Amino acid sequence: MILRSILLLLCASPALFADKLDTDLDEAETLYPIFVRATDQLLPQAGDYEKFCAKNQKSKRSQLRPQILKQLKQSAENSWKQMAKKVAELQKAEKIKNLERYWIVNGFACDATGEACKALSELKSVSFVYRQRLPLMQHRKRRVRGQIPPAQQKVVYQQVLKQWKDDSNEAFTTKGMEIPWNLKRIQADQVWEREKVHGQGVTIGLIDTGLMVADGLVRALWKNPKEKLNGKDDDGNGYVDDLFGYDFIRRSFYALGDSPRLPHGSMCAGIMAGRPLNKKKMITGIAPRARVMMLRGMGYLKAYEYALENGADVISMSFMWVNRELGNFRGVYRTAHEHLAAGGVVSVGGAGNFARLAKGKQIALPKDIPCVIAAAGIVKDGSRAPASSGGPCYWDNVKFYSDYPKNKPLNKPDVTGVFGGYPVWARPIKFRRNWQIVSNEGQGFALVIGPQGNSFSGPHAGGVAALMLSANPDLNPWEIKSLMEKTCKDIGEKGRDHIFGAGLIQALEAVRVAKKVKK
C-alpha cells in the first residue's frame, strides 16, 4: 500500500511541477530571463486584495504602512532562507546568473537554464517560475541615451540644491496668478480657495523620463532628508546620493535631466505639482504644495520598492505595454500593485492613446490592474480625445488571476482627466510646428501648448489624489479610488462606461468627501 502511494506520487510529480512552470522554459541548457515567485505572498491570488481592503476599512494608512512594509520584507527574508541553498548550487554550476532579489513581490529575478527552472519549481517555497516577458528586472548593460558625464551631474545637483526650497508650509495664494482651463475644469482652483488644500504633506513618485531644472519644477522636488551629495549612502537604503530619487536604469543617483525632444517627465510633474515660478505667474500644478520623487525606470520593481520604502503616497506611471503578449507574467505586476496599495500607495496613470486598436486591448499593463486608477481624456470642448483608450479589460488564463473573464470584464478606464491643450513645461529648442510658446523662460525652458495624450490625463488623477490625501492623510488607496470615482461628473453614456469610466474628475467634491471620512 505504501509502495503504491509512492509510485502514484512519483507519477503525478511531473504534472505537479509543470503547473509551477511558465510556458517555453523547456530547453535544458538555454538561459531564460525568469522571475521566481515565492509561495509566501501577502496577497497571493485574486480576491485577496479585496478581502484585505474590507478587513482594513477602519485602519489608518499611517498605521498600515509600517506594518505592511515590515511584513513584505520579513516574508522575503524567510523565503530566501528556504531557497538559498538550492540557488547557490545552481549558481555554482553556472545554471543561474544575474540574480536580483525583491520584496514588493516576494521572489527573485535571474537568468536560468531550463534545467534550473525545473529544479526551482520543485521547491516548496516556490509557487511559480515565470518567463520574463519584460526583461526589466535584474541589472543588465543597457544602451541609454542622454546621460551627461558624472562630473557634470554633480554640478547640476549642486545648482539644484541652491534653487531648492522647502515651501510645503508656505501660504499659497491665487491672487495675481493665471489659472489654465484644465485646472478649472477639474475644480483644482476651487479646492485651493474653498478648502485651503494644496497638496501639502504629500509625496508623488513619478516614474518617468526625468525632470528639467526649471525653477517651477525644481521647487516641487521631494528631497531625501537623510542624504547628502557626498558619494556615500548616508541613510543606508542601498542608494548613494539619492537626494531627489533614483535612476534604476543606469543605477545612478542622477534622476533629473529629461529628454530634449520630449521632456515627458517634466510635463507630467508640472501638471501634478508645478510651482507658479514663471514669467506668466501661471499655476500649472493641481497640487502646488505636493512633492515629486523622481524615479527613472519604467516597469522596474526596484522603483516600486523605493517609492514605498521612502514615503511616496502616490505613484504616477507614464508607461504601458501595448500589443505585448505577456501571459502569466502580468500577474507579477498585479501582485506588486496590490502590495503597494496595501502599503498605502495610490497608483495612477493614463489609460493610453490606442483607441484605434481592438476593443479590450486598448488599455494594457499596468493600467489594466484593478487597483490602479486609469484615466481617459477629454479635450477642451469636453468631447472624448479621439486617441483616448477605452475598455473593458480582461484577466483570464493568468496564473493566480483569472477573475475577469470575457463574460465578466473589468470596467476600465476608471476616471477621466484632461488630454491636452493647456500649458506644460517643455524645451523650445526642440519645438514642434503645431506647438505654441506661452512663456519662454530662458535657459532652454518654456511653457508651451501642444503636447497631448493620456499621459497627461493620468497626472490629473495623481494631482487630485494628492489633494485628497493632503485633506485626509489616513485614507487608504482603495478609499481614494472609490471616492474619486463616486464624485466624478458623469459624461458620455449615463452611468459608468468603457469610454470615460466614472466620468470627469471633480476635485472639490472629492476633497470634501475625503475630509468627512473618520478613522
Side-chain angles (χ1 to χ4, degrees), residues 245-276:
Y246 201 74
D247 183 339
F248 294 90
I249 305 173
R250 303 173 179 89
R251 294 200 169 182
S252 166
F253 73 94
Y254 190 73
L256 304 183
D258 214 351
S259 166
R261 181 176 295 277
L262 186 69
H264 200 282
S266 301
M267 295 173 180
C268 293
I271 293 167
M272 289 188 290
R275 275 40 173 179

PDB file of all heavy atoms in Angstrom, residues 245-276:
ATOM      1  N   GLY A 245      15.552  61.156  -5.659  1.00  0.00           N
ATOM      2  CA  GLY A 245      15.022  59.945  -6.261  1.00  0.00           C
ATOM      3  C   GLY A 245      16.177  59.119  -6.791  1.00  0.00           C
ATOM      4  O   GLY A 245      17.309  59.213  -6.293  1.00  0.00           O
ATOM      5  N   TYR A 246      15.924  58.328  -7.845  1.00  0.00           N
ATOM      6  CA  TYR A 246      16.988  57.448  -8.336  1.00  0.00           C
ATOM      7  C   TYR A 246      16.704  57.025  -9.766  1.00  0.00           C
ATOM      8  O   TYR A 246      15.543  56.952 -10.191  1.00  0.00           O
ATOM      9  CB  TYR A 246      17.089  56.203  -7.446  1.00  0.00           C
ATOM     10  CG  TYR A 246      18.414  55.499  -7.526  1.00  0.00           C
ATOM     11  CD1 TYR A 246      19.547  56.030  -6.923  1.00  0.00           C
ATOM     12  CD2 TYR A 246      18.529  54.288  -8.206  1.00  0.00           C
ATOM     13  CE1 TYR A 246      20.776  55.368  -6.998  1.00  0.00           C
ATOM     14  CE2 TYR A 246      19.751  53.619  -8.288  1.00  0.00           C
ATOM     15  CZ  TYR A 246      20.865  54.179  -7.683  1.00  0.00           C
ATOM     16  OH  TYR A 246      22.074  53.533  -7.763  1.00  0.00           O
ATOM     17  N   ASP A 247      17.793  56.762 -10.502  1.00  0.00           N
ATOM     18  CA  ASP A 247      17.714  56.245 -11.867  1.00  0.00           C
ATOM     19  C   ASP A 247      18.017  54.749 -11.811  1.00  0.00           C
ATOM     20  O   ASP A 247      19.172  54.341 -11.644  1.00  0.00           O
ATOM     21  CB  ASP A 247      18.728  56.958 -12.756  1.00  0.00           C
ATOM     22  CG  ASP A 247      18.650  56.529 -14.219  1.00  0.00           C
ATOM     23  OD1 ASP A 247      18.114  55.436 -14.489  1.00  0.00           O
ATOM     24  OD2 ASP A 247      19.128  57.283 -15.088  1.00  0.00           O
ATOM     25  N   PHE A 248      16.983  53.925 -11.934  1.00  0.00           N
ATOM     26  CA  PHE A 248      17.143  52.479 -11.795  1.00  0.00           C
ATOM     27  C   PHE A 248      17.614  51.814 -13.083  1.00  0.00           C
ATOM     28  O   PHE A 248      17.996  50.644 -13.059  1.00  0.00           O
ATOM     29  CB  PHE A 248      15.829  51.859 -11.316  1.00  0.00           C
ATOM     30  CG  PHE A 248      15.455  52.295  -9.928  1.00  0.00           C
ATOM     31  CD1 PHE A 248      14.678  53.426  -9.728  1.00  0.00           C
ATOM     32  CD2 PHE A 248      15.919  51.610  -8.836  1.00  0.00           C
ATOM     33  CE1 PHE A 248      14.363  53.853  -8.452  1.00  0.00           C
ATOM     34  CE2 PHE A 248      15.615  52.023  -7.547  1.00  0.00           C
ATOM     35  CZ  PHE A 248      14.829  53.151  -7.355  1.00  0.00           C
ATOM     36  N   ILE A 249      17.599  52.546 -14.180  1.00  0.00           N
ATOM     37  CA  ILE A 249      18.109  52.006 -15.439  1.00  0.00           C
ATOM     38  C   ILE A 249      19.634  52.015 -15.414  1.00  0.00           C
ATOM     39  O   ILE A 249      20.290  51.007 -15.672  1.00  0.00           O
ATOM     40  CB  ILE A 249      17.590  52.814 -16.645  1.00  0.00           C
ATOM     41  CG1 ILE A 249      16.068  52.879 -16.644  1.00  0.00           C
ATOM     42  CG2 ILE A 249      18.097  52.206 -17.945  1.00  0.00           C
ATOM     43  CD1 ILE A 249      15.494  53.789 -17.711  1.00  0.00           C
ATOM     44  N   ARG A 250      20.188  53.155 -15.074  1.00  0.00           N
ATOM     45  CA  ARG A 250      21.641  53.315 -15.066  1.00  0.00           C
ATOM     46  C   ARG A 250      22.257  52.997 -13.706  1.00  0.00           C
ATOM     47  O   ARG A 250      23.471  53.008 -13.558  1.00  0.00           O
ATOM     48  CB  ARG A 250      22.000  54.754 -15.458  1.00  0.00           C
ATOM     49  CG  ARG A 250      21.474  55.206 -16.809  1.00  0.00           C
ATOM     50  CD  ARG A 250      21.741  56.692 -16.993  1.00  0.00           C
ATOM     51  NE  ARG A 250      21.290  57.197 -18.272  1.00  0.00           N
ATOM     52  CZ  ARG A 250      20.073  57.681 -18.506  1.00  0.00           C
ATOM     53  NH1 ARG A 250      19.170  57.692 -17.538  1.00  0.00           N
ATOM     54  NH2 ARG A 250      19.743  58.139 -19.697  1.00  0.00           N
ATOM     55  N   ARG A 251      21.395  52.809 -12.696  1.00  0.00           N
ATOM     56  CA  ARG A 251      21.850  52.658 -11.316  1.00  0.00           C
ATOM     57  C   ARG A 251      22.682  53.868 -10.912  1.00  0.00           C
ATOM     58  O   ARG A 251      23.837  53.762 -10.499  1.00  0.00           O
ATOM     59  CB  ARG A 251      22.605  51.353 -11.117  1.00  0.00           C
ATOM     60  CG  ARG A 251      21.700  50.138 -11.291  1.00  0.00           C
ATOM     61  CD  ARG A 251      22.251  48.898 -10.645  1.00  0.00           C
ATOM     62  NE  ARG A 251      21.242  47.841 -10.624  1.00  0.00           N
ATOM     63  CZ  ARG A 251      21.427  46.643 -10.087  1.00  0.00           C
ATOM     64  NH1 ARG A 251      22.577  46.346  -9.539  1.00  0.00           N
ATOM     65  NH2 ARG A 251      20.464  45.748 -10.095  1.00  0.00           N
ATOM     66  N   SER A 252      22.048  55.001 -11.015  1.00  0.00           N
ATOM     67  CA  SER A 252      22.710  56.273 -10.755  1.00  0.00           C
ATOM     68  C   SER A 252      21.823  57.168  -9.892  1.00  0.00           C
ATOM     69  O   SER A 252      20.593  57.115  -9.991  1.00  0.00           O
ATOM     70  CB  SER A 252      23.011  56.982 -12.087  1.00  0.00           C
ATOM     71  OG  SER A 252      23.351  58.331 -11.880  1.00  0.00           O
ATOM     72  N   PHE A 253      22.466  57.975  -9.062  1.00  0.00           N
ATOM     73  CA  PHE A 253      21.717  58.944  -8.254  1.00  0.00           C
ATOM     74  C   PHE A 253      21.041  60.003  -9.128  1.00  0.00           C
ATOM     75  O   PHE A 253      20.052  60.620  -8.721  1.00  0.00           O
ATOM     76  CB  PHE A 253      22.666  59.645  -7.269  1.00  0.00           C
ATOM     77  CG  PHE A 253      23.600  60.636  -7.928  1.00  0.00           C
ATOM     78  CD1 PHE A 253      23.277  61.982  -8.013  1.00  0.00           C
ATOM     79  CD2 PHE A 253      24.800  60.222  -8.487  1.00  0.00           C
ATOM     80  CE1 PHE A 253      24.129  62.903  -8.621  1.00  0.00           C
ATOM     81  CE2 PHE A 253      25.660  61.126  -9.098  1.00  0.00           C
ATOM     82  CZ  PHE A 253      25.319  62.469  -9.172  1.00  0.00           C
ATOM     83  N   TYR A 254      21.554  60.187 -10.349  1.00  0.00           N
ATOM     84  CA  TYR A 254      21.114  61.308 -11.177  1.00  0.00           C
ATOM     85  C   TYR A 254      19.769  60.989 -11.829  1.00  0.00           C
ATOM     86  O   TYR A 254      19.699  60.319 -12.863  1.00  0.00           O
ATOM     87  CB  TYR A 254      22.166  61.619 -12.244  1.00  0.00           C
ATOM     88  CG  TYR A 254      21.895  62.914 -12.971  1.00  0.00           C
ATOM     89  CD1 TYR A 254      22.100  64.137 -12.343  1.00  0.00           C
ATOM     90  CD2 TYR A 254      21.433  62.921 -14.285  1.00  0.00           C
ATOM     91  CE1 TYR A 254      21.857  65.329 -13.005  1.00  0.00           C
ATOM     92  CE2 TYR A 254      21.184  64.103 -14.945  1.00  0.00           C
ATOM     93  CZ  TYR A 254      21.391  65.306 -14.297  1.00  0.00           C
ATOM     94  OH  TYR A 254      21.133  66.490 -14.952  1.00  0.00           O
ATOM     95  N   ALA A 255      18.701  61.500 -11.212  1.00  0.00           N
ATOM     96  CA  ALA A 255      17.341  61.204 -11.679  1.00  0.00           C
ATOM     97  C   ALA A 255      16.711  62.391 -12.396  1.00  0.00           C
ATOM     98  O   ALA A 255      15.511  62.364 -12.704  1.00  0.00           O
ATOM     99  CB  ALA A 255      16.467  60.809 -10.493  1.00  0.00           C
ATOM    100  N   LEU A 256      17.503  63.425 -12.674  1.00  0.00           N
ATOM    101  CA  LEU A 256      16.952  64.611 -13.339  1.00  0.00           C
ATOM    102  C   LEU A 256      17.328  64.590 -14.818  1.00  0.00           C
ATOM    103  O   LEU A 256      17.480  63.556 -15.426  1.00  0.00           O
ATOM    104  CB  LEU A 256      17.454  65.883 -12.645  1.00  0.00           C
ATOM    105  CG  LEU A 256      17.150  65.966 -11.149  1.00  0.00           C
ATOM    106  CD1 LEU A 256      17.616  67.301 -10.578  1.00  0.00           C
ATOM    107  CD2 LEU A 256      15.673  65.770 -10.873  1.00  0.00           C
ATOM    108  N   GLY A 257      17.476  65.765 -15.427  1.00  0.00           N
ATOM    109  CA  GLY A 257      17.837  65.836 -16.843  1.00  0.00           C
ATOM    110  C   GLY A 257      16.623  65.963 -17.719  1.00  0.00           C
ATOM    111  O   GLY A 257      16.104  67.040 -17.922  1.00  0.00           O
ATOM    112  N   ASP A 258      16.108  64.864 -18.222  1.00  0.00           N
ATOM    113  CA  ASP A 258      14.952  64.750 -19.106  1.00  0.00           C
ATOM    114  C   ASP A 258      15.333  64.910 -20.573  1.00  0.00           C
ATOM    115  O   ASP A 258      16.334  65.522 -20.921  1.00  0.00           O
ATOM    116  CB  ASP A 258      13.836  65.722 -18.745  1.00  0.00           C
ATOM    117  CG  ASP A 258      12.458  65.122 -19.017  1.00  0.00           C
ATOM    118  OD1 ASP A 258      12.400  64.041 -19.628  1.00  0.00           O
ATOM    119  OD2 ASP A 258      11.454  65.707 -18.610  1.00  0.00           O
ATOM    120  N   SER A 259      14.482  64.373 -21.433  1.00  0.00           N
ATOM    121  CA  SER A 259      14.743  64.333 -22.864  1.00  0.00           C
ATOM    122  C   SER A 259      14.603  65.720 -23.490  1.00  0.00           C
ATOM    123  O   SER A 259      13.642  66.435 -23.211  1.00  0.00           O
ATOM    124  CB  SER A 259      13.746  63.376 -23.529  1.00  0.00           C
ATOM    125  OG  SER A 259      13.739  63.550 -24.924  1.00  0.00           O
ATOM    126  N   PRO A 260      15.543  66.118 -24.347  1.00  0.00           N
ATOM    127  CA  PRO A 260      15.402  67.417 -25.018  1.00  0.00           C
ATOM    128  C   PRO A 260      14.289  67.424 -26.053  1.00  0.00           C
ATOM    129  O   PRO A 260      13.672  68.452 -26.314  1.00  0.00           O
ATOM    130  CB  PRO A 260      16.779  67.631 -25.671  1.00  0.00           C
ATOM    131  CG  PRO A 260      17.327  66.249 -25.843  1.00  0.00           C
ATOM    132  CD  PRO A 260      16.823  65.466 -24.680  1.00  0.00           C
ATOM    133  N   ARG A 261      14.011  66.275 -26.659  1.00  0.00           N
ATOM    134  CA  ARG A 261      12.991  66.212 -27.706  1.00  0.00           C
ATOM    135  C   ARG A 261      11.578  66.240 -27.113  1.00  0.00           C
ATOM    136  O   ARG A 261      10.718  66.967 -27.576  1.00  0.00           O
ATOM    137  CB  ARG A 261      13.179  64.945 -28.553  1.00  0.00           C
ATOM    138  CG  ARG A 261      12.175  64.812 -29.690  1.00  0.00           C
ATOM    139  CD  ARG A 261      12.485  63.588 -30.537  1.00  0.00           C
ATOM    140  NE  ARG A 261      13.763  63.727 -31.218  1.00  0.00           N
ATOM    141  CZ  ARG A 261      13.904  64.381 -32.370  1.00  0.00           C
ATOM    142  NH1 ARG A 261      12.867  64.934 -32.970  1.00  0.00           N
ATOM    143  NH2 ARG A 261      15.084  64.479 -32.942  1.00  0.00           N
ATOM    144  N   LEU A 262      11.336  65.437 -26.092  1.00  0.00           N
ATOM    145  CA  LEU A 262      10.029  65.398 -25.455  1.00  0.00           C
ATOM    146  C   LEU A 262      10.236  65.183 -23.955  1.00  0.00           C
ATOM    147  O   LEU A 262      10.304  64.045 -23.496  1.00  0.00           O
ATOM    148  CB  LEU A 262       9.160  64.275 -26.031  1.00  0.00           C
ATOM    149  CG  LEU A 262       7.711  64.246 -25.520  1.00  0.00           C
ATOM    150  CD1 LEU A 262       6.933  65.445 -26.056  1.00  0.00           C
ATOM    151  CD2 LEU A 262       7.018  62.956 -25.949  1.00  0.00           C
ATOM    152  N   PRO A 263      10.348  66.253 -23.188  1.00  0.00           N
ATOM    153  CA  PRO A 263      10.599  66.140 -21.745  1.00  0.00           C
ATOM    154  C   PRO A 263       9.346  65.678 -21.000  1.00  0.00           C
ATOM    155  O   PRO A 263       8.688  66.439 -20.284  1.00  0.00           O
ATOM    156  CB  PRO A 263      11.016  67.554 -21.354  1.00  0.00           C
ATOM    157  CG  PRO A 263      10.352  68.436 -22.357  1.00  0.00           C
ATOM    158  CD  PRO A 263      10.304  67.664 -23.639  1.00  0.00           C
ATOM    159  N   HIS A 264       9.037  64.425 -21.190  1.00  0.00           N
ATOM    160  CA  HIS A 264       7.782  63.847 -20.721  1.00  0.00           C
ATOM    161  C   HIS A 264       7.608  63.956 -19.203  1.00  0.00           C
ATOM    162  O   HIS A 264       6.549  64.328 -18.702  1.00  0.00           O
ATOM    163  CB  HIS A 264       7.733  62.380 -21.154  1.00  0.00           C
ATOM    164  CG  HIS A 264       6.375  61.782 -21.172  1.00  0.00           C
ATOM    165  ND1 HIS A 264       5.728  61.378 -20.025  1.00  0.00           N
ATOM    166  CD2 HIS A 264       5.538  61.505 -22.195  1.00  0.00           C
ATOM    167  CE1 HIS A 264       4.545  60.877 -20.343  1.00  0.00           C
ATOM    168  NE2 HIS A 264       4.406  60.945 -21.661  1.00  0.00           N
ATOM    169  N   GLY A 265       8.665  63.603 -18.466  1.00  0.00           N
ATOM    170  CA  GLY A 265       8.594  63.671 -17.018  1.00  0.00           C
ATOM    171  C   GLY A 265       8.332  65.075 -16.516  1.00  0.00           C
ATOM    172  O   GLY A 265       7.559  65.280 -15.569  1.00  0.00           O
ATOM    173  N   SER A 266       8.961  66.063 -17.160  1.00  0.00           N
ATOM    174  CA  SER A 266       8.771  67.464 -16.770  1.00  0.00           C
ATOM    175  C   SER A 266       7.337  67.914 -16.991  1.00  0.00           C
ATOM    176  O   SER A 266       6.756  68.639 -16.177  1.00  0.00           O
ATOM    177  CB  SER A 266       9.723  68.358 -17.570  1.00  0.00           C
ATOM    178  OG  SER A 266      11.062  67.979 -17.351  1.00  0.00           O
ATOM    179  N   MET A 267       6.753  67.483 -18.103  1.00  0.00           N
ATOM    180  CA  MET A 267       5.365  67.840 -18.402  1.00  0.00           C
ATOM    181  C   MET A 267       4.423  67.275 -17.335  1.00  0.00           C
ATOM    182  O   MET A 267       3.554  67.980 -16.817  1.00  0.00           O
ATOM    183  CB  MET A 267       4.979  67.314 -19.786  1.00  0.00           C
ATOM    184  CG  MET A 267       5.745  67.956 -20.929  1.00  0.00           C
ATOM    185  SD  MET A 267       5.383  67.144 -22.522  1.00  0.00           S
ATOM    186  CE  MET A 267       6.400  68.118 -23.626  1.00  0.00           C
ATOM    187  N   CYS A 268       4.618  65.995 -16.997  1.00  0.00           N
ATOM    188  CA  CYS A 268       3.740  65.342 -16.024  1.00  0.00           C
ATOM    189  C   CYS A 268       3.928  65.911 -14.624  1.00  0.00           C
ATOM    190  O   CYS A 268       2.959  66.112 -13.889  1.00  0.00           O
ATOM    191  CB  CYS A 268       3.993  63.839 -16.031  1.00  0.00           C
ATOM    192  SG  CYS A 268       3.493  63.034 -17.577  1.00  0.00           S
ATOM    193  N   ALA A 269       5.178  66.162 -14.242  1.00  0.00           N
ATOM    194  CA  ALA A 269       5.449  66.741 -12.924  1.00  0.00           C
ATOM    195  C   ALA A 269       4.817  68.120 -12.795  1.00  0.00           C
ATOM    196  O   ALA A 269       4.261  68.470 -11.744  1.00  0.00           O
ATOM    197  CB  ALA A 269       6.955  66.822 -12.690  1.00  0.00           C
ATOM    198  N   GLY A 270       4.905  68.902 -13.882  1.00  0.00           N
ATOM    199  CA  GLY A 270       4.322  70.242 -13.864  1.00  0.00           C
ATOM    200  C   GLY A 270       2.821  70.225 -13.691  1.00  0.00           C
ATOM    201  O   GLY A 270       2.243  71.088 -13.025  1.00  0.00           O
ATOM    202  N   ILE A 271       2.149  69.234 -14.283  1.00  0.00           N
ATOM    203  CA  ILE A 271       0.693  69.116 -14.151  1.00  0.00           C
ATOM    204  C   ILE A 271       0.310  68.773 -12.716  1.00  0.00           C
ATOM    205  O   ILE A 271      -0.669  69.283 -12.179  1.00  0.00           O
ATOM    206  CB  ILE A 271       0.143  68.053 -15.121  1.00  0.00           C
ATOM    207  CG1 ILE A 271       0.317  68.504 -16.562  1.00  0.00           C
ATOM    208  CG2 ILE A 271      -1.331  67.755 -14.836  1.00  0.00           C
ATOM    209  CD1 ILE A 271       0.086  67.405 -17.590  1.00  0.00           C
ATOM    210  N   MET A 272       1.079  67.914 -12.082  1.00  0.00           N
ATOM    211  CA  MET A 272       0.719  67.474 -10.736  1.00  0.00           C
ATOM    212  C   MET A 272       1.124  68.461  -9.651  1.00  0.00           C
ATOM    213  O   MET A 272       0.342  68.715  -8.724  1.00  0.00           O
ATOM    214  CB  MET A 272       1.357  66.114 -10.452  1.00  0.00           C
ATOM    215  CG  MET A 272       0.731  64.983 -11.243  1.00  0.00           C
ATOM    216  SD  MET A 272       1.304  63.347 -10.748  1.00  0.00           S
ATOM    217  CE  MET A 272       2.991  63.400 -11.351  1.00  0.00           C
ATOM    218  N   ALA A 273       2.335  69.020  -9.746  1.00  0.00           N
ATOM    219  CA  ALA A 273       2.840  69.780  -8.602  1.00  0.00           C
ATOM    220  C   ALA A 273       3.678  70.994  -8.978  1.00  0.00           C
ATOM    221  O   ALA A 273       4.373  71.551  -8.119  1.00  0.00           O
ATOM    222  CB  ALA A 273       3.659  68.853  -7.709  1.00  0.00           C
ATOM    223  N   GLY A 274       3.635  71.441 -10.254  1.00  0.00           N
ATOM    224  CA  GLY A 274       4.441  72.579 -10.663  1.00  0.00           C
ATOM    225  C   GLY A 274       4.129  73.838  -9.866  1.00  0.00           C
ATOM    226  O   GLY A 274       2.978  74.118  -9.539  1.00  0.00           O
ATOM    227  N   ARG A 275       5.176  74.607  -9.542  1.00  0.00           N
ATOM    228  CA  ARG A 275       5.018  75.878  -8.832  1.00  0.00           C
ATOM    229  C   ARG A 275       4.852  77.013  -9.837  1.00  0.00           C
ATOM    230  O   ARG A 275       5.381  76.949 -10.944  1.00  0.00           O
ATOM    231  CB  ARG A 275       6.228  76.150  -7.967  1.00  0.00           C
ATOM    232  CG  ARG A 275       6.255  75.538  -6.568  1.00  0.00           C
ATOM    233  CD  ARG A 275       5.750  74.161  -6.418  1.00  0.00           C
ATOM    234  NE  ARG A 275       5.998  73.659  -5.058  1.00  0.00           N
ATOM    235  CZ  ARG A 275       5.651  72.477  -4.623  1.00  0.00           C
ATOM    236  NH1 ARG A 275       5.036  71.623  -5.423  1.00  0.00           N
ATOM    237  NH2 ARG A 275       5.900  72.101  -3.376  1.00  0.00           N
ATOM    238  N   PRO A 276       4.141  78.071  -9.460  1.00  0.00           N
ATOM    239  CA  PRO A 276       3.930  79.197 -10.391  1.00  0.00           C
ATOM    240  C   PRO A 276       5.143  80.122 -10.473  1.00  0.00           C
ATOM    241  O   PRO A 276       5.020  81.343 -10.408  1.00  0.00           O
ATOM    242  CB  PRO A 276       2.709  79.904  -9.791  1.00  0.00           C
ATOM    243  CG  PRO A 276       2.798  79.627  -8.332  1.00  0.00           C
ATOM    244  CD  PRO A 276       3.378  78.245  -8.210  1.00  0.00           C
TER     245      PRO A 276
END
